[in-house]
Amino acid sequence: HTRFRNVTGVQTCALPIYAAGLAGQFRRDGGEARHSCCDGQRHEGRRAFVLRLGPLAQQEKALVDAHSATENSPISGARTDYSLYTPMEKAVKSTFAGSRWNRSDWMRNLSESRSLLAAMERRPVRVPRGPHRAYLAPAAVSDLISMFSWGCIGERSIRKGESPLRFMRTGERRLSPHFSLTEDFSLGVVPRFNGEGDIAPEKIELIREGRLVGSLVHSRSGAEYAVASNGATSGEGLRSPSMAAGSLRREEIFKRLGTGLFLSNLHYLNWSDPFEGRITGMTRYACLWVEEGEVVGPIETMRWDDGIYRFFGSELEAVTDFRALIAETGTYHHRQAGGMLMPGMLLKSMNMTL
């Protein structure tokens, strides 16, 4: 995890990079420790290299140098989880992951985070309760998609009538044609086998253009309901979901949003009404108020309450034409594997309650 901190006008950070095969790609040198020292230490079977960086120009150079050192090395993947802080301790959080460390993509990721950090230093805006247009960045979309693992997309929960998707199984409801969801192990972020050694297909189509076409089926559910198992875990939760991209271009986001909320991350999600698919949670990190396509300032932390049939159904106006791989960064009991390939979403409205 990386902390970029602004101290007396100079941005600094400490950046652990975890990657197989990275040992030997970095060397300690005699330069200034604040921006050129790489401390190697073992971390759960991998080597963690902490780049201690100083002023922003040196910081970017060190990161580019790190990329250059690893670009031709036999690395199976790369992921970075970092936060940027203002002097008032307001934070922007981002992750960067991929099958290979891509310099231009990383620099764009860092540049976007720096732009959000500048916006976070403006005067906070108090947003009234009620419905507002909203743009959800890929990380925020991944927070919502994670709720599909909580008794939602599994065959057992649908059969027992506990899942809000039971209405889709019977044909009573459907989601937006802009929304398609697949369990996609070709992303390479998690093994295809579960705890019992069952191997899942490389791709499991779950929702196609708003219609439920599949579910996650563990072997016990398969035996109980006489359906074929597809190698799901015992909890029948998502491990490597991929949401289809749309047509909304990156440069059009603020213009299409107009006046409303830009939400980078969501937090503390839980079902407020699991049978109807209503979710409650909080805004977190770089959440901004936008007027006529221009950022006004950060919003105060707010609670929201809305449903999956609105998020991914009636209120889904557009989906971005780009996607981001949001790596799993959880460390409950152990470092978690997995990740999600998510686009951003433009919503006609989102209910803010507090």
Side-chain angles (χ1 to χ4, degrees):
H1 183 76
T2 309
R3 288 175 64 89
F4 289 73
R5 188 181 298 278
N6 189 317
V7 181
T8 62
V10 177
Q11 290 180 315
T12 62
C13 78
L15 170 62
I17 301 176
Y18 302 105
L22 210 56
Q25 296 297 326
F26 290 95
R27 297 286 184 269
R28 299 175 188 266
D29 59 35
E32 293 181 271
R34 65 175 180 173
H35 68 84
S36 60
C37 173
C38 295
D39 301 324
Q41 59 183 343
R42 286 289 175 184
H43 182 85
E44 298 179 4
R46 294 176 293 183
R47 189 169 295 275
F49 294 89
V50 181
L51 306 182
R52 304 196 184 283
L53 309 177
L56 190 58
Q58 295 173 344
Q59 157 187 312
E60 292 180 344
K61 181 180 183 303
L63 291 170
V64 171
D65 290 345
H67 159 76
S68 299
T70 61
E71 190 168 21
N72 298 316
S73 65
I75 297 175
S76 58
R79 70 173 62 182
T80 305
D81 168 30
Y82 69 92
S83 298
L84 288 75
Y85 290 81
T86 70
M88 299 302 293
E89 294 291 324
K90 294 180 180 179
V92 173
K93 181 176 176 61
S94 185
T95 60
F96 178 76
S99 58
R100 290 194 63 85
W101 187 271
N102 183 289
R103 172 180 175 177
S104 60
D105 288 347
W106 160 250
M107 296 306 292
R108 181 175 61 193
N109 178 284
L110 183 60
S111 176
E112 290 175 353
S113 295
R114 289 174 56 201
S115 296
L116 292 175
L117 187 67
M120 295 296 286
E121 297 195 75
R122 300 183 185 182
R123 184 184 298 276
V125 178
R126 182 180 292 273
V127 177
R129 291 181 295 175
H132 296 282
R133 286 180 62 79
Y135 169 76
L136 275 59
V141 176
S142 75
D143 293 327
L144 288 178
I145 291 293
S146 68
M147 294 300 295
F148 280 72
S149 295
W150 291 27
C152 186
I153 198 65
E155 183 67 21
R156 186 184 311 113
S157 60
I158 295 174
R159 294 274 186 159
K160 289 184 174 181
E162 300 170 347
S163 167
L165 301 188
R166 68 190 185 281
F167 299 113
M168 297 177 68
R169 175 66 63 84
T170 60
E172 298 174 61
R173 298 184 190 176
R174 61 167 298 176
L175 299 174
S176 168
H178 297 306
F179 181 55
S180 296
L181 184 67
T182 301
E183 180 83 303
D184 186 359
F185 292 100
S186 70
L187 300 180
V189 294
V190 68
R192 285 167 55 188
F193 57 83
N194 62 15
E196 288 78 33
D198 302 321
I199 299 178
E202 187 173 65
K203 294 186 179 182
I204 304 171
E205 194 174 19
L206 301 170
I207 297 173
R208 182 196 307 141
E209 297 180 349
R211 298 185 183 276
L212 185 68
V213 296
S215 64
L216 297 177
V217 188
H218 184 258
S219 55
R220 285 196 294 272
S221 297
E224 181 176 357
Y225 300 111
V227 295
S229 166
N230 53 24
T233 61
S234 58
E236 296 182 337
L238 294 163
R239 288 179 284 166
S240 185
S242 172
M243 179 176 161
S247 59
L248 177 61
R249 294 185 297 173
R250 192 186 303 268
E251 60 271 20
E252 295 178 339
I253 291 172
F254 286 99
K255 180 180 179 182
R256 288 281 302 273
L257 174 60
T259 298
L261 297 161
F262 176 98
L263 305 179
S264 68
N265 299 80
L266 304 175
H267 189 44
Y268 288 135
L269 278 68
N270 209 336
W271 294 114
S272 56
D273 185 347
F275 297 103
E276 288 295 322
R278 292 193 67 86
I279 305 169
T280 187
M282 307 290 291
T283 61
R284 197 179 192 192
Y285 299 120
C287 294
L288 312 172
W289 179 249
V290 178
E291 291 183 359
E292 297 182 355
E294 299 292 333
V295 174
V296 177
I299 66 171
E300 297 179 355
T301 300
M302 299 188 71
R303 176 168 290 281
W304 50 269
D305 189 295
D306 220 320
I308 61 172
Y309 286 103
R310 283 172 47 83
F311 282 127
F312 302 104
S314 62
E315 304 310 300
L316 181 53
E317 181 174 313
V319 176
T320 61
D321 63 357
F322 64 89
R323 296 184 291 178
L325 180 59
I326 310 299
E328 174 60 66
T329 58
T331 54
Y332 290 104
H333 305 297
H334 58 85
R335 182 169 290 278
Q336 316 257 324
M340 305 185 186
L341 186 61
M342 295 288 118
M345 301 195 317
L346 181 63
L347 303 178
K348 300 174 187 175
S349 72
M350 180 175 176
N351 289 320
M352 314 304 290
T353 58
L354 288 174

